[in-house]
Each structure stands twice: as C-alpha cells, then as structure tokens.
Amino acid sequence: MFRFYVSVFVGLIIAATSIQAAEKSIDGKIKSVDPTKRTISVIDKDNTLDLELSKNTKITAKNKPLNSSSLQAGQSIKLKYHDALGIVLEVDVLSPIEKKPELVVLNELDTQGEESNPWLSSDGLTIYYTVKEPSQQTRWVWSATRNDAESLFENPVRLLPAMDFTVSDDGLEMILFLNRGLYQTTRNSVEDNFKRPTKITTAVLEGGFLAGPCLSSDGLTLYCDSIRKGFGAQIQLMTRKTKSSNWSKPQPLKLTPIGKMKYPYVSRDGKYLFCTSKGISQGSNIIIHSGRDADGGFHSASILNVDSRNIRGIFPRYVEATNELFFAGEPENGNGELKLMVLKNFNPEKMIPGLK
C-alpha cells in the first residue's frame, strides 16, 4: 500500500513538472495575426514563433480583457504558450491598441442631390462641401460643424455658389472655381457672410484653365489642377508674399505622373500631396504623393489601398488632428450619386508602402 501511494505521488510530480516545463513565456512583438484562422506569429529576439490561439487563450491589456481581433502586427506583448502543443495560453498587450481604418458615409449630410468637395478646418470640426440638388443648375457651398471626431455634423448652412473651392485655415478666405476661372472672396469673421467673389486675374493658363484649388496652411501657396489641350495631367502652383499680395502666374509642380491627376490637396505639414487619378482603372483612385524634394516637388507616388482594396473617390482631404481622410465617393449599393465619406483612423505613414 505504501509503495502504491509513493508511485502515485512520484507520477503526479513528474506530470506536474512536464506541464510546467511545457509552458514558456516570452517578451516579443507580433509579426502577424489572423483572427479568423486563429493563428499568430511572434518575433522573439531573432526567432519567429508560429502559434495557435485557442478559444481559452486569455488576452488582456492593462488587466482589461480583449478579443483576438484586437491583436495587431507590431504590438509589443508578453506571451505565455504551451511549447509542446504550440498553443497560446495568455497574451498581455503592452503597446497601445491602434484602431483599424474604417470607411464611413456621412449620412447626416445626405440630401436628395449630390454632395462633393469636402474641405475641413484644421481641427476637423468644421466641414465645407458642395451640394448639387436635382432642381438646381448651380452647386452651392455649405458648412456644418461637429463637437468632436466621434460626433455627427450638425446645423448645415448654405454659403455661396461654386464648383470647386478651398478655404483658408482661419476660415476667412475662400478661393472658388467659377465660370472657367478662379475667384476669391473674404469675410470679417466666421460668423459673417462671404463677400461677392472677385476674379484672380493672374490665374490664367494659355489654352486652358485652372480648377480644383487648394490653399496651403499658411495661405501663401495655391495648388490647382490644369485643363488644357496638348498637355498631360499637371498640378500647377501659384504663390504670393502675403495674404494681401497678388498671386503669381501658375507654374507646374514636379510630380510622379499617375493617370489624369486632379483635385490636389497638400497636407498642412507639407509632407504629402493627395490627388485623384482617373487613368488607372474604372473609378477614381486616390493617390498619395510623398518624398518632398528640395525644390518643392514630390518624387514618390502610391495608390491608397486598405486591406487589399483600392479606395476610390475624388477631392481627398487629410485632417492630421483627427487622423481622418475625407473625400467624395459612391457608396456601395448607392444610386450613382457622390456622397461625402471619411476614412477614419487614417495614418499615411502606415498606408504608404515602404515609408518609414
């Protein structure tokens, strides 16, 4: 009897030791994760471990429970796994959880007509946009506001007629495309109405015209797309010394050409130029130009792609303050009309291939 108890006791010790030896812990980074297949690859120093996430895997961040869809490549983690079975037992996420890009239609601004040309204030809380109602021949510029990036836009107000337009960061100047020409107008405060627009006499292009205006953050550079026979796609720029000075004549901006580039937008930090191309495939791909040159041009270009899907639309506008990319596009299952859309949780450094 004594021998039997000793044998059982020794067997339990051996079994416990085997289980304990099979459990290992590492500090590493997630290389890749597939929540559907429930697999995860983790970099431990110079080694890569391919493991399985079970239904019982405990996933936490700061002692708060998470699900496997919250795990993302690049996150620093502490991981406990069963060495013999290759199953993850526990994951403790140490780095912040980054939200994935999410495409949202701004249904709160939807009308019976077509909404286009979004332009955002620097804090992302005021939106300007155009509306073309079926009963009207003219597009009108409207504005609306929201309390924060998670709130709906409210209280839309009609401002003045225009096709394309751009607004200064202080909201007091607007440059518009009207009657095959560029016009400018001002107002004394954001509560006031804009004055009647006057034509920019220097915004002349021989054999064509300028459209799709975009003001730089300091208001001293104006980017436009050019439309004229005999020339390929070109983005033009004009400059002025002060906000009260006259604009210079347009000059081509050096860019990597991709299709018919239109509707330029330079980010407020000057690092990126967004535009639309209609020459690649059906629809309008959004192009991101990066790699700013010493002479002001951009030498790299890539198509915006999210989860192996090209994002198509026109008038792309990037808001650094809220990590959002606004544009006008046709929603899935739509009726062919342009609607205002936003790609939330947008980070160009993570979206542009090879950019560090």
Side-chain angles (χ1 to χ4, degrees), residues 33 136 142 195:
V33 62
Q136 295 179 339
W142 288 67
K195 302 171 185 176

Side-chain angles (χ1 to χ4, degrees), residues 235-249:
I235 303 297
Q236 305 280 337
L237 65 83
M238 303 167 60
T239 59
R240 60 184 176 182
K241 293 182 178 180
T242 67
K243 291 184 179 181
S244 59
S245 302
N246 292 328
W247 288 102
S248 68
K249 293 182 178 180

Side-chain angles (χ1 to χ4, degrees), residues 318-354:
Y318 171 44
V319 183
E320 296 96 322
T322 57
N323 293 324
E324 294 174 306
L325 182 70
F326 290 81
F327 59 94
E330 183 182 341
E332 293 183 9
N333 304 321
N335 58 3
E337 293 178 340
L338 288 174
K339 298 299 174 186
L340 298 177
M341 309 177 74
V342 58
L343 184 62
K344 302 183 77 66
N345 311 316
F346 174 79
N347 184 339
E349 292 190 4
K350 294 184 179 295
M351 297 289 182
I352 301 175

Side-chain angles (χ1 to χ4, degrees), residues 22-33:
E23 290 184 2
K24 292 187 177 180
S25 298
I26 60 170
D27 292 346
K29 281 191 175 183
I30 298 177
K31 180 179 180 181
S32 63
V33 62

Side-chain angles (χ1 to χ4, degrees), residues 131-188:
V131 175
K132 174 64 171 66
E133 296 182 5
S135 60
Q136 295 179 339
Q137 296 298 319
T138 305
R139 291 181 182 273
W140 281 77
V141 179
W142 288 67
S143 69
T145 58
R146 60 180 176 176
N147 294 326
D148 52 58
E150 303 305 319
S151 300
L152 298 176
F153 286 100
E154 299 178 311
N155 306 315
V157 177
R158 194 171 78 162
L159 301 178
L160 71 174
M163 295 291 291
D164 310 337
F165 71 93
T166 178
V167 183
S168 61
D169 270 10
D170 59 12
L172 302 183
E173 181 180 14
M174 184 182 294
I175 294 178
L176 317 94
F177 170 59
L178 284 169
N179 305 320
R180 295 170 68 91
L182 293 183
Y183 290 71
Q184 60 187 13
T185 179
T186 59
R187 58 183 175 180
N188 295 326

Side-chain angles (χ1 to χ4, degrees), residues 95-314:
S95 55
I97 306 297
E98 292 189 12
K99 295 181 179 180
K100 294 183 177 181
E102 177 186 6
L103 191 59
V104 177
V105 180
L106 301 182
N107 290 315
E108 69 270 27
L109 298 177
D110 191 9
T111 67
Q112 293 297 321
E114 183 176 87
E115 300 83 51
S116 187
N117 201 155
W119 187 275
L120 280 295
S121 58
S122 58
D123 59 9
L125 302 184
T126 299
I127 185 172
Y128 302 87
Y129 57 100
T130 58
V131 175
K132 174 64 171 66
E133 296 182 5
S135 60
Q136 295 179 339
Q137 296 298 319
T138 305
R139 291 181 182 273
W140 281 77
V141 179
W142 288 67
S143 69
T145 58
R146 60 180 176 176
N147 294 326
D148 52 58
E150 303 305 319
S151 300
L152 298 176
F153 286 100
E154 299 178 311
N155 306 315
V157 177
R158 194 171 78 162
L159 301 178
L160 71 174
M163 295 291 291
D164 310 337
F165 71 93
T166 178
V167 183
S168 61
D169 270 10
D170 59 12
L172 302 183
E173 181 180 14
M174 184 182 294
I175 294 178
L176 317 94
F177 170 59
L178 284 169
N179 305 320
R180 295 170 68 91
L182 293 183
Y183 290 71
Q184 60 187 13
T185 179
T186 59
R187 58 183 175 180
N188 295 326
S189 73
V190 292
E191 288 78 25
D192 293 330
N193 295 327
F194 280 101
K195 302 171 185 176
R196 187 175 296 276
T198 58
K199 193 168 185 177
I200 302 176
T201 57
T202 55
V204 178
L205 198 64
E206 185 177 351
F209 58 92
L210 302 172
C214 164
L215 270 172
S216 61
S217 181
D218 61 9
L220 301 182
T221 303
L222 180 64
Y223 302 89
C224 308
D225 56 55
S226 60
I227 302 173
R228 57 176 171 171
K229 294 181 180 180
F231 288 83
Q234 282 188 324
I235 303 297
Q236 305 280 337
L237 65 83
M238 303 167 60
T239 59
R240 60 184 176 182
K241 293 182 178 180
T242 67
K243 291 184 179 181
S244 59
S245 302
N246 292 328
W247 288 102
S248 68
K249 293 182 178 180
Q251 297 291 331
L253 176 67
K254 292 183 179 179
L255 288 174
T256 300
I258 298 185
K260 299 177 181 178
M261 298 181 295
K262 293 178 66 66
Y263 315 122
Y265 177 81
V266 175
S267 60
R268 287 181 167 89
D269 59 12
K271 293 173 62 176
Y272 310 104
L273 183 143
F274 297 80
C275 66
T276 296
S277 173
K278 290 190 174 182
I280 298 176
S281 60
Q282 292 183 351
S284 301
N285 291 288
I286 293 176
I287 308 299
I288 307 176
H289 292 266
S290 58
R292 195 77 187 257
D293 296 323
D295 58 1
F298 296 84
H299 62 254
S300 298
S302 59
I303 300 172
L304 177 58
N305 183 288
V306 177
D307 295 331
S308 300
R309 171 191 171 193
N310 288 350
I311 302 299
R312 294 191 172 96
I314 59 177

